[in-house]
Amino acid sequence: MTLYGEKNPPADDRPTVQVTAVTWPDDGAAPVTATAPGEPDDGPRRSRRGRMLLATGVTGAIVAAIAGAGAWAYAGDVPRGTTVLGTELGGRSRAEADRQLRAELEKRAAQLAAPLKVTVDGRTAEIKPEDVGLAIDVAATVAAAAEASAHPVSRLVGSRTVDPVVTVDVARLDDALRTVLGKQAQGMTMPAITYKGTTPNVVPPKPGLTLDPQRSAEVVRAGWLANTPITVPLVEKHPATTPEELDRLVTEFAKPAVAAPVTLRTGKGSLLIPPAAIAKSLRFTADKTGKLTPSVDVKRLRAALGDDLEAIEVSPKDATMTISGGRPVTTEGRPGQQVDTEALSRDLLAVLPKSDGREVNGELKTTPPTLTADKLAGLGIKERVSTFTTRFTGGLTSARSQNIVTIAKKVDGTVVLPGKTFSLNGHTGERGYAQGYRDAPVILDGKLVPGVGGGTSQFTTTLFNATYYAGLEDVEHKPHSYWFDRYPAVIESTIFWPNLDFKFRNNTEYGVLIDTSYTSSSITVSIWSTKIYDSVKTEYSPRRNITAPKKIHLEPGPSCIETNGINGFTQDAFRVIKKGGVVVKREKFTWRYDAEPRYVCGPKPS
C-alpha cells in the first residue's frame, strides 16, 4: 500500500532463522534442530541453553516486527484511516492535512457557494451561504481529526470519519430565516398588565411557534454539507411569566398599588400621589422572553402630577437662542431642584404593594439644564439657511389667524440637535381649548367644518417648506386631500392631533434653530444653522389626471361652509439639491389631490 508523504519501511537485513520444528520436548524427546544458512549440521543434541537462545531470537524478531508496524501506524499527527469529506488525512502532519483538506474544498467550491433552498413553515426561499457566514473552519477540522480517538489495532487496519467543523453567523442566519418566514410565525402572546383608570386589565400569556436560532443553525449546517434542501423546524416557545405568576402579580402588586395614595415627603414639603397618577406611571414591561417586570415611569408620573410638583420642585431651564438684530443671541439657562427620579422609582416600587406605611422620602437634587449656553454656542447656529412665508386673510382677530399665531409662538426658538427628529405633535402636545386654540374651519370627512385648532395646518405647511428648502430630511408629512392655492402644490402638509403629524430630522452635524415671525396677513418660518448646500430648488411635472369638482347641497346651518370647488389632479415635485456646483440629491414627491366639491348650503332647486 502506498502512503502519501511516507517512505516504505527499509528492508530487514538481519539473518533469517529457519525453524524446522518447534516443540518443547520432555526429557528424552528428540531435539529441536535449527540451522542458519551455510552452517554445518553437527548432529549432536544441543543443550537447554541453546534452546533458550533460539526462543529469544524468535521472540526478538516478532517484537521488532510489531515495533516497526507500530511506528508506521503512529506516523503523522492524524491517526491513519481518518477521512474528512471522503479525503484521507490519516498519517499526515497537521500542515499536510490542512493543505489536503483545502485542496478538497477548492474542488467543492461551486457546490459550497451555491444558494441553499430553505423551507420555513411552508415558505421556501434561497439563502446564499456567504450571506449567513457558512464556512468550513479548516484549522479546527484538522485539529478535530488529529484528536480523533483510535485504538492501536484500529490505527493498523481500522478507519474513521470526522465531520468538518462548520461555522455560521447564528444572528445573521436567524434574520434571514425570519425574512423567509415573514409574518406567518405565530408569535408568543406576551403577558401584560395595563390600567383602565385604576382597574388592572390583564392579557394572559400564550405560547407561540418560532425559530430557535441554535436549532436552526444545526439543521442548516447539516443540509449545507449534504447539499440537500433544508427544512427548518419551528419550535413552541412559552413566555417566561406563566399564567399563575401573572395572577399572583395582579393580586399581590397591581391591585394593591392603586388601592390608596402614596405620600411623598421632601425637605420643601409633602405631596400626595393619588391612585390615578400611580396607574398612569406604573408600567409592567415584558422583555423578549416574556418576563413581566413592574417599573415606575417617573416622567409619566411628573406629567400626571402636573402643577402639583411646583410645590416641592423647581424645574431647570435650558439656555435659549433668539434672533436679534439679524444674528443669533444666546441666553444662559438655570439649574433646578428636583426629586431624585431613580431613588423615587425604586422607593415607590417598594411601598406600592403595601396596604399601610405608604410613604416615601424624596431627596431634592440640583438638576442642570439639558442645554447650556456653551453647548448651544458650539452648535454652529450662525446664519439663516432658509425662510418661507405663507399668507392668510382676516387679520389677527380671526380665530384661524389666532390659531396660526398660537402654534407659531409655541415653536419659536426651538433648537433641534444634530441627528435628532422634531415632531410637531410631540412639541406642541394636544391643541385644544385649554391650550388657547379656537374653532376655525378644518377638513373633516372631505368637507370644511368648524373644529378646534383650524389654521394650524397653514403653519405646518410653512414649517415644512422652511425645512424642505434647508435640505433637512423629511420624516413624516401628509399633504391635504384638496389643494388650496395659498400653498405650493405637493410641497405642503396638514396636521391633526393625534393621528397626523409632521416630522423632520436634523441630518446635519450642526444645530438647527426654528425662528418664527408673523404679521397681520402672513406667517414666516426661518431655519438658522450652518449652510451646507449651494441651493435647494423644486422642479414640477405637468399636472395629470385632472378631475372637475361636483356640486353638493348641504343642510344650511352653523356647521355648513360653502366652497367654490377645486379641480383634482396628480403632480410630481422634485427637490433638487446642489453642492459644489453639482446636483448631489434629487428627491421625488408625488401627491394625488381629490377634486374639492362645490358645497352649497341649501336644498337643490326644484
Side-chain angles (χ1 to χ4, degrees):
M1 178 175 66
T2 302
L3 298 177
Y4 293 102
E6 294 286 341
K7 294 180 180 180
N8 289 329
D12 193 342
D13 58 359
R14 291 171 297 178
T16 301
V17 178
Q18 295 179 343
V19 180
T20 56
V22 179
T23 61
W24 296 108
D26 294 330
D27 289 343
V32 175
T33 303
T35 60
E39 282 189 5
D41 186 357
D42 54 8
R45 178 182 298 178
R46 292 179 181 265
S47 67
R48 179 175 295 273
R49 181 172 178 271
R51 292 197 301 269
M52 292 300 297
L53 288 173
L54 170 61
T56 301
V58 173
T59 303
I62 294 172
V63 170
I66 293 174
W72 177 82
Y74 280 88
D77 295 322
V78 182
R80 292 192 181 276
T82 303
T83 61
V84 175
L85 294 176
T87 300
E88 174 68 52
L89 301 185
R92 301 178 187 278
S93 67
R94 290 183 184 239
E96 291 170 335
D98 187 289
R99 287 192 294 271
Q100 183 69 16
L101 182 54
R102 291 185 188 279
E104 177 62 26
L105 294 180
E106 186 65 30
K107 296 176 186 177
R108 298 175 180 237
Q111 171 194 324
L112 295 176
L116 306 174
K117 285 189 177 181
V118 178
T119 300
V120 187
D121 199 26
R123 302 186 68 182
T124 301
E126 290 188 342
I127 296 177
K128 294 181 180 178
E130 62 181 349
D131 291 344
V132 294
L134 270 172
I136 292 177
D137 188 330
V138 174
T141 301
V142 170
E147 294 167 6
S149 177
H151 188 273
V153 174
S154 175
R155 287 176 175 265
L156 284 170
V157 295
S159 64
R160 65 210 54 80
T161 299
V162 174
D163 292 330
V165 177
V166 178
T167 60
V168 64
D169 188 318
V170 176
R172 283 161 56 192
L173 175 62
D174 190 55
D175 288 342
L177 293 176
R178 291 186 186 280
T179 300
V180 176
L181 183 60
K183 296 181 179 180
Q184 289 193 163
Q186 180 186 337
M188 293 187 297
T189 299
M190 295 298 193
I193 302 174
T194 57
Y195 286 97
K196 184 176 182 180
T198 56
T199 302
N201 289 333
V202 177
V203 177
K206 293 180 182 179
L209 290 175
T210 187
L211 292 162
D212 182 318
Q214 294 300 332
R215 175 65 178 143
S216 299
E218 292 174 8
V219 173
V220 170
R221 284 190 191 103
W224 179 55
L225 287 178
N227 193 28
T228 57
I230 301 167
T231 299
V232 178
L234 297 179
V235 298
E236 189 172 78
K237 189 173 184 179
H238 291 259
T241 296
T242 66
E244 295 75 20
E245 290 171 334
L246 181 62
D247 290 342
R248 187 164 58 252
L249 194 58
V250 171
T251 303
E252 298 178 2
F253 199 103
K255 287 182 178 180
V258 294
V262 173
T263 301
L264 171 61
R265 301 190 185 280
T266 72
K268 287 191 175 181
S270 299
L271 174 69
L272 204 64
I273 304 175
I278 295 171
K280 288 181 179 179
S281 60
L282 186 55
R283 288 287 175 267
F284 294 86
T285 306
D287 62 16
K288 290 183 178 180
T289 69
K291 181 177 176 57
L292 201 60
T293 305
S295 63
V296 174
D297 187 331
V298 179
K299 185 176 180 180
R300 288 178 176 270
L301 180 61
R302 289 184 184 282
L305 293 173
D307 295 340
D308 292 346
L309 281 171
E310 293 179 2
I312 58 173
E313 286 189 338
V314 176
S315 298
K317 184 178 180 181
D318 283 345
T320 59
M321 181 176 281
T322 57
I323 304 302
S324 179
R327 64 185 183 87
V329 176
T330 302
T331 302
E332 183 60 273
R334 57 169 172 73
Q337 284 281 321
Q338 292 183 306
V339 175
D340 183 341
T341 56
E342 185 176 341
L344 178 59
S345 176
R346 180 195 64 228
D347 295 343
L348 275 175
L349 281 176
V351 303
L352 287 178
K354 299 179 180 179
S355 58
D356 47 10
R358 294 171 66 90
E359 293 186 359
V360 292
N361 293 316
E363 179 187 354
L364 293 173
K365 298 179 67 175
T366 299
T367 309
T370 303
L371 189 61
T372 64
D374 286 343
K375 184 176 181 179
L376 189 54
L379 291 175
I381 302 173
K382 64 180 183 180
E383 58 191 330
R384 189 169 67 183
V385 176
S386 67
T387 188
F388 199 82
T389 299
T390 59
R391 302 192 175 278
F392 52 80
T393 59
L396 294 178
T397 58
S398 74
R400 186 176 185 278
S401 302
Q402 289 181 10
N403 288 338
I404 293 173
V405 171
T406 298
I407 191 172
K409 288 180 177 179
K410 184 71 174 178
V411 175
D412 186 40
T414 299
V415 173
V416 184
L417 299 176
K420 297 299 182 180
T421 296
F422 172 87
S423 162
L424 187 53
N425 275 344
H427 184 80
T428 66
E430 185 175 1
R431 295 174 293 275
Y433 301 119
Q435 291 76 33
Y437 294 89
R438 302 170 62 184
D439 282 334
V442 298
I443 298 176
L444 189 63
D445 296 330
K447 58 185 177 182
L448 286 173
V449 296
V452 62
T456 54
S457 286
Q458 177 159 352
F459 174 79
T460 306
T461 288
T462 311
L463 175 61
F464 172 46
N465 274 268
T467 60
Y468 172 94
Y469 285 106
L472 297 171
E473 180 183 335
D474 174 44
V475 175
E476 179 183 341
H477 83 281
K478 184 180 181 181
H480 289 80
S481 52
Y482 305 137
W483 177 62
F484 302 105
D485 59 8
R486 59 178 173 266
Y487 305 145
V490 183
I491 310 303
E492 50 95 3
S493 180
T494 186
I495 194 168
F496 195 83
W497 175 269
N499 301 319
L500 297 179
D501 198 2
F502 164 63
K503 296 178 183 179
F504 75 88
R505 179 175 173 269
N506 178 6
N507 55 331
T508 75
E509 59 182 304
Y510 306 103
V512 163
L513 170 68
I514 304 174
D515 177 60
T516 69
S517 59
Y518 59 91
T519 68
S520 60
S521 61
S522 67
I523 179 69
T524 298
V525 177
S526 300
I527 300 297
W528 288 71
S529 186
T530 293
K531 192 168 185 177
I532 297 174
Y533 304 113
D534 299 342
S535 65
V536 180
K537 296 182 178 180
T538 301
E539 296 176 358
Y540 281 102
S541 73
R543 294 179 180 179
R544 59 189 184 276
N545 304 326
I546 298 174
T547 55
K550 296 178 180 180
K551 186 176 182 180
I552 298 177
H553 290 264
L554 301 173
E555 287 291 328
S559 63
C560 183
I561 300 176
E562 292 191 337
T563 61
N564 293 325
I566 304 171
N567 283 345
F569 59 90
T570 301
Q571 193 168 23
D572 304 321
F574 299 88
R575 177 162 68 164
V576 182
I577 302 177
K578 288 186 176 180
K579 183 178 181 180
V582 298
V583 174
V584 294
K585 190 179 295 184
R586 183 180 176 87
E587 294 176 283
K588 182 180 179 181
F589 297 80
T590 302
W591 190 247
R592 167 67 193 171
Y593 288 104
D594 296 330
E596 181 192 30
R598 181 188 172 195
Y599 288 110
V600 178
C601 298
K604 284 185 179 181
S606 54

